[in-house]
């Protein structure tokens, strides 16, 4: 139908643009074009609601409950699952042009263009459409979810007749219980999500309306409200009405050629597990009144100011690869959207961009997303950790149920209760509790936030330390072992002494002991005495770390190096991801690695390995890592850069950054991969910048791959905003605002001050690059094509060499 051919995303440094209409690509563009503030998320569906991939309006923390399916249940299996709900949709604005509905599948779209603007924080769209009977209109829309007014979203909608006077009818809706297709194979989950909302209250008058609903099983209540400002040259007829699941404002108006109808729609959302219908109703009405007072222009101005501030602390400039530049900013923008205003709610694996993973949060948050937020918008990191803290009672209960002490945080959850039905790669992945402790420690080091430590941090550290003390034991040699756990690699399960887990547990135990000593009152309140402190220190000191002197490498878990090799040579490339084609029992007993595990330890616990060990371990695991998870490439980029394989690091960084834009895992329709987007930051800042924060010292070891001309990044540490610029032979550091800062540059202590200072970059000769399993090497980026690629109209898929 469209005359303008769709060409994929265009390359541009500060925006994501898709020109032309491609119905088949809608699902994945809806995820990429989602707008969110961490509290409200709106997928990038068209205003007229159809054609569509998957509608989606999400409120962080708002879920429905359902039974978890087990053919054979066992003790301690979670009984209830949680699934994010598609709540009342306020994005819908339908248009009738002289009786013909605007629908891009009919008539002709002579121009269609959607743009997500990373600096403005809006999604806009321009469509020129000719109806089946030849009536032409131009529709311009722009939408935002406000970073400054947490409960607010707004849409500006404009229609212009292009050739003649036209009667236009606009219907602006709040629609609950939209029918959606669900991917789930479990009929109980599908049933829970079919009309999950029960209407409790509706009201409409003038140009505004409110709907209040409650979920059937989880008992959560939500309210959505809308109000409109209508601008048109001539008289209008407007009618508003509401029923249980629908509120609709209908506006009919004759617009002359050259005239314009403009509607500004303000939306407010709120939810609560406790508040009454009148209380929630009042809450959204009050939020709406505030937004109306600010007005569209005001909201746009506030949004821009918020983003200017964010970019001043977080921007990464990449010279020499425009597509990577765009992808890295896309990543940073979506990470902000996932975490900015979550305020004591989780940051889900997909943020609020789609229903994937049922809307659950995983260790992805603490180990991947929070390092980015800690150094760019630390308050958002603090709030995410406060969410974990708010689920402490559930984590204590879970530990108790499992016969353990302290707190066992869930593998996957929305409200803090364990929702993983597959315990070998769920409950057994206890490392999530150490990952949370590590995120606490990183946040404390980066901010010095003593209040947070006293109110939340110490408790998080001590309860997770208790978990490790009870989960592990001293064997007859005195070693402290942690047996029967699953590490980050989900192709091994329930193994003994996973090196990553043991190292992270050791850090957790020591950090808890130190924090308790800093806050003896908190420690006393939770009954920690010196005997317990000593036991944590003793466990940490005796932590067992398996090593194979013959091969000179660390097994990711004890016994791993004796497992049979996977037959990579004869594995059909169509059989990746392996988990969909081979039984877990076979994956578990072979040397095949889904995602960085020991290699993640090399990054996060790098102070426990010598440079030679890192090089050998990295090469060993490269040959066995298949990257069936999007959580791997970013980490592999970091360690490849550290051991000097800079070209390989570059390819991995590009893979992490482009995972969603290229739909590498063929599932972006269900939402973006927040951990992979965070991997883009990791690859640039921890990889080529060499950022490490072991023991609270900020260290850098900058290096550039041959294909790039320069990387510049900005960070915040202890209230100081500073910048690191990496050129071929030197790195330049300077403070943008705040006090001077002591950091390490390739091991040398330097003071970063307002005056830029340059330091030489030592050469590194890493030798031959490691090999990956056949067909599993990251795609090579073709630097020649990349350089020509400054042309904005080139589709991004062309820049890979074959
Ligand atoms: C990965 C996990 C991850 C989860 C959610 C899985 O495929 O193996 O490490 O937490 O996805 O992103």
């Amino acid at each position: 139908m469209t005359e303008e051919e769709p060409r994929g995303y265009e390359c541009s440094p500060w925006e994501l643009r898709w020109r032309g209409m491609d119905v088949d690509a809608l699902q994945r563009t809806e995820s990429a074009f989602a707008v969110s503030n961490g509290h409200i998320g709106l997928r990038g569906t068209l205003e007229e609601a159809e054609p569509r991939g998957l509608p989606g309006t999400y409120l962080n923390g708002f879920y429905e409950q359902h039974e978890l399916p087990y053919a054979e249940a066992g003790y301690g299996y979670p009984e209830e699952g949680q699934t994010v709900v598609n709540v009342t949709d306020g994005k819908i604005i339908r248009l009738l042009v002289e009786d013909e509905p605007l629908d891009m599948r009919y008539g002709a779209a002579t121009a269609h263009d959607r743009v997500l603007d990373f600096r403005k924080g809006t999604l806009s769209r321009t469509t020129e459409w000719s109806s089946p009977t030849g009536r032409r209109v131009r529709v311009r829309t722009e939408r935002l979810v406000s970073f400054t007014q947490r409960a607010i979203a707004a849409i500006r909608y404009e229609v212009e007749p292009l050739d003649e006077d036209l009667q236009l009818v606009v219907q602006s809706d709040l629609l609950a219980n939209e029918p959606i297709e669900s991917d789930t194979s479990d009929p109980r989950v599908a049933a829970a999500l079919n009309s999950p909302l029960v209407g409790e209250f509706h009201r409409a008058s003038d140009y505004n309306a409110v709907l209040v609903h409650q979920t059937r099983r989880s008992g959560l209540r939500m309210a959505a409200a809308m109000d409109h400002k209508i601008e048109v040259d001539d008289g209008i007829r407007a009618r508003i009405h509401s029923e249980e699941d629908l509120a609709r404002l209908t506006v009919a108006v004759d617009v002359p050629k050259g005239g314009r109808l403009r509607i500004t729609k303000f939306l407010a959302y709120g939810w609560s597990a406790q508040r009454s219908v009148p209380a929630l109703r009042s809450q959204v009405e009050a939020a709406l009144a505030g937004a109306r007072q600010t007005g569209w222009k005001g909201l746009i101005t506030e949004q821009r100011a918020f983003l200017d501030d964010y970019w001043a602390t977080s921007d990464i400039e990449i010279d020499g690869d425009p597509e990577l530049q765009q992808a890295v900013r896309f990543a940073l923008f979506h990470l902000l959207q996932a975490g900015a205003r979550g305020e004591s709610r989780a940051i889900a694996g997909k943020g609020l961009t789609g229903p994937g993973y049922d809307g659950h949060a995983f260790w992805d948050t603490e180990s991947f997303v929070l390092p980015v937020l800690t150094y760019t918008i630390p308050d958002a990191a603090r709030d995410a950790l406060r969410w974990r803290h708010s689920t402490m009672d559930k984590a204590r209960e879970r530990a108790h149920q499992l016969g353990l002490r302290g707190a066992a945080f869930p593998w996957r959850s929305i409200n803090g209760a364990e929702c993983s039905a597959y315990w070998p790669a769920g409950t057994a992945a206890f490392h999530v509790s150490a990952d949370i402790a590590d995120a606490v420690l990183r946040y404390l080091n980066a901010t010095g936030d003593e209040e947070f430590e006293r109110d939340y941090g110490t408790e998080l550290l001590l309860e997770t330390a208790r978990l490790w003390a009870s989960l592990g034991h001293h064997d007859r040699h005195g070693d402290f072992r942690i047996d029967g756990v699953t590490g980050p690699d989900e192709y091994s399960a329930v193994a003994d002494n996973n090196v990553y887990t043991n190292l992270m547990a050791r850090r957790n135990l020591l950090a808890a002991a130190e924090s308790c000593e800093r806050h003896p009152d908190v420690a006393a309140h939770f009954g920690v005495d010196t005997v317990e402190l000593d036991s944590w220190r003793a466990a940490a000191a005796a932590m067992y770390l398996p090593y194979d002197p013959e091969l000179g490498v660390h097994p990711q878990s004890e016994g791993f190096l004796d497992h049979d090799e996977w037959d990579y040579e004869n594995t059909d490339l169509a059989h990746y991801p392996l988990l969909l084609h081979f039984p877990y029992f076979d994956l578990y007993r072979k040397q095949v690695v889904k995602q960085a595990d020991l290699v993640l330890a090399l990054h996060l616990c790098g102070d426990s390995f010598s440079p030679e060990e890192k090089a050998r371990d990295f090469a060993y695991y490269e040959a066995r890592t298949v990257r069936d998870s999007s959580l791997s490439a970013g980490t592999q980029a970091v360690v490849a850069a550290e051991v000097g394989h800079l070209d390989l690091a570059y390819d991995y960084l590009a893979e992490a950054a482009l995972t969603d834009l290229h739909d590498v895992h063929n599932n972006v329709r269900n939402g973006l991969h927040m951990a992979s987007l965070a991997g883009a930051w990791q690859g640039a800042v921890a990889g080529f910048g060499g950022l490490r924060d072991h023991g609270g010292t900020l260290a850098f070891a900058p290096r550039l791959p041959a294909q790039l001309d320069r990387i510049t990044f900005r960070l915040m540490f202890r209230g100081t905003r500073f910048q690191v610029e990496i050129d071929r032979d030197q790195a330049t550091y300077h403070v943008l605002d705040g006090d001077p800062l002591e950091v390490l540059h390739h091991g040398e202590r330097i003071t970063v001050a307002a005056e830029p200072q340059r330091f030489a970059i030592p050469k590194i000769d890493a030798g031959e690059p490691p090999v990956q399993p056949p067909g599993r090497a990251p795609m090579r980026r073709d630097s020649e094509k990349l350089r020509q690629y400054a042309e904005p109209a080139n589709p991004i898929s062309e820049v890979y060499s074959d």
Side-chain angles (χ1 to χ4, degrees), residues 381-648:
R382 177 201 59 210
D383 289 348
L385 291 169
R386 279 177 43 203
W387 170 69
R388 283 295 187 186
H389 183 268
S390 75
T391 66
M392 184 64 95
D393 284 346
K394 293 194 175 70
R396 283 199 192 96
E397 253 172 58
R398 181 72 177 150
H400 182 73
Q401 184 183 34
L402 298 172
L404 299 167
R405 295 195 61 217
F409 284 95
W411 179 243
R412 52 188 298 172
S413 184
I414 295 179
N415 81 348
E418 180 62 85
C419 290
S420 173
Y422 184 63
W423 64 268
T427 296
F430 284 102
H431 67 84
V432 59
S433 293
D435 302 329
I436 293 166
D438 189 42
V440 169
L441 196 58
R442 179 177 300 108
Y443 171 77
L444 292 177
N445 286 331
T447 60
D449 185 344
E450 285 169 18
E451 196 179 318
F452 174 84
E453 180 171 18
R454 200 180 40 250
D455 295 346
Y456 308 99
T458 305
E459 187 182 347
L460 280 163
L461 290 170
L462 74 88
E463 292 292 24
T464 45
R466 281 178 164 157
L467 177 80
W468 297 116
S470 64
L471 191 58
H473 72 283
H474 290 274
D475 67 13
R476 62 181 190 281
H477 312 293
D479 289 336
F480 192 80
R481 303 172 55 93
I482 303 176
D483 293 336
V485 303
T486 300
D489 166 30
E490 297 191 339
Y491 286 172
S492 285
V494 198
D496 295 344
N497 296 303
N498 173 260
V499 169
Y500 171 85
T501 305
N502 286 16
L503 285 171
M504 295 293 281
R506 179 165 81 184
R507 179 178 293 170
N508 191 162
L509 290 159
L510 293 175
E514 281 168 24
S515 188
C516 284
E517 278 171 356
R518 275 194 299 274
H519 296 284
D521 49 332
V522 180
H525 177 79
F526 290 101
V528 179
D529 56 20
T530 50
V531 176
E532 191 168 15
L533 281 186
D534 290 346
S535 74
W536 296 347
R537 290 206 160 101
M543 189 65 74
Y544 177 56
L545 299 172
Y547 177 71
D548 186 318
E550 195 188 325
L551 292 174
V553 295
H554 291 85
Q556 69 176 27
S557 297
E558 220 175 347
F560 180 81
L561 302 175
D562 301 322
H563 286 181
D564 198 0
E565 295 283 356
W566 186 263
D567 185 2
Y568 296 106
E569 291 292 336
N570 293 310
T571 302
D572 188 335
L573 291 184
H575 288 166
Y576 290 96
L578 300 176
L579 65 108
L580 298 183
H581 299 94
F582 298 92
Y584 268 119
F585 97 88
D586 207 21
L587 295 167
Y588 288 168
R589 63 201 194 106
K590 302 266 169 71
Q591 291 195 53
V592 53
V593 179
K594 181 184 184 191
Q595 63 200 97
D597 183 311
L598 193 276
V599 171
L600 183 60
L602 299 180
H603 170 204
L604 296 180
C605 308
D607 49 347
S608 298
F609 300 87
S610 70
E612 297 73 31
E613 285 173 346
K614 284 181 189 167
R616 282 197 307 270
D617 282 342
F618 180 66
Y620 189 88
Y621 286 96
E622 274 297 281
R624 290 158 181 85
T625 302
V626 295
R627 283 195 331 291
D628 280 351
S629 159
S630 67
L631 273 66
S632 206
T635 304
Q636 286 170 269
V638 171
V639 181
E642 179 172 356
V643 301
H645 298 300
L646 300 172
D647 293 353
L648 180 61

Side-chain angles (χ1 to χ4, degrees), residues 646 701-706 708-711 725-733 745-746 757-764:
L646 300 172
R703 281 209 168 91
L704 269 191
L708 297 181
D709 302 325
R710 180 183 304 137
I711 299 177
E725 184 181 315
I726 317 170
D727 292 294
R728 180 89 27 237
D729 302 316
Q730 61 181 22
T732 311
Y733 296 76
H745 167 81
H746 283 284
Q757 294 178 73
R758 295 178 175 74
F759 299 90
I761 294 178
K763 298 263 172 278
I764 186 166

